[in-house]
Amino acid sequence: MTAATDTTPVTPARAEPDADAFRAAMGRFPTGVTLLTQGSGDDTAVMTLNSLTSVSLDPMLILVSVKADGRMRPRISRAGSFAVSVLTAAQRGLAREFCRPDRCEGWAAMLRLAAEKGITGNAVLPAAEMSLECVLDAEHEAGDHTLLIGRVVALHGGASEPDPLLFHQGRFSELPAVSDKEHP
């Protein structure tokens, strides 16, 4: 029998990794850093998020992942919409501030972010790299998280020169400057 037709299940050589090993391994994959918002004005809730994935162009869908038992999931489920703003390297402080459990909400959050109310009624950051406003298309339970699929209904451009904030190996980072000679 050749390897191409062999259907024998593969057995791992070692035991499954623990949560700390898995977290460390996934930390080696750099991601962008965003702020997930739901509501605006007095009803603004914000959290730092690095799980943003483009899912489809037709229709335009994105995926974000939030803790199933966290504060944000029931708000988004009830409201049926959310926004995601991709942060710039200069917004590192906002990323740190809004990942804390005691982060500000309501008008204090709107003012801190210099946010505006978007067409979905959710806060967006004009100074972000870009912002996406979404209506909730689907929710899927996935372990201790819920995957939220959003249909993009508005896209807001931000900074003219891309300067995204990154998260890699447990730290915030940014792209190194590239000279014109290095561009193809």
Side-chain angles (χ1 to χ4, degrees):
M1 185 183 299
T2 66
T5 59
D6 188 2
T7 58
T8 307
V10 176
T11 315
R14 294 188 265 169
E16 288 186 27
D18 65 17
D20 290 336
F22 180 66
R23 180 186 299 263
M26 292 309 299
R28 299 186 67 79
F29 180 65
T31 64
V33 181
T34 70
L35 290 181
L36 176 67
T37 57
Q38 202 299 304
S40 60
D42 242 0
D43 193 37
T44 307
V46 185
M47 67 176 276
T48 302
L49 179 80
N50 72 336
S51 62
L52 169 65
T53 303
S54 169
V55 174
S56 170
L57 288 175
D58 188 16
M60 289 179 283
L61 299 173
I62 64 166
L63 177 148
V64 297
S65 175
V66 297
K67 285 186 72 170
D69 63 353
R71 292 184 264 176
M72 198 59 98
R73 193 267 176 110
R75 288 181 58 101
I76 292 172
S77 293
R78 275 192 310 273
S81 66
F82 60 91
V84 180
S85 295
V86 176
L87 298 182
T88 68
Q91 294 169 319
R92 179 184 308 233
L94 294 175
R96 282 195 177 101
E97 186 174 333
F98 285 97
C99 68
R100 297 169 39 137
D102 63 344
R103 59 193 176 259
C104 63
E105 295 183 335
W107 279 109
M110 287 288 287
L111 293 171
R112 178 68 182 103
L113 299 172
E116 296 177 355
K117 182 177 180 178
I119 66 166
T120 58
N122 299 300
V124 293
L125 284 69
E129 284 283 341
M130 65 91 175
S131 296
L132 303 165
E133 292 188 70
C134 300
V135 294
L136 185 61
D137 192 72
E139 296 182 59
H140 302 282
E141 298 302 316
D144 60 358
H145 277 63
T146 300
L147 307 179
L148 304 173
I149 308 294
R151 184 171 40 87
V152 178
V153 295
L155 172 66
H156 307 276
S160 59
E161 284 297 315
D163 188 22
L165 179 61
L166 303 177
F167 192 72
H168 183 235
Q169 293 188 316
R171 296 185 301 274
F172 292 114
S173 183
E174 50 195 86
L175 291 173
V178 179
S179 73
D180 289 336
K181 294 178 184 179
E182 295 178 65
H183 288 282

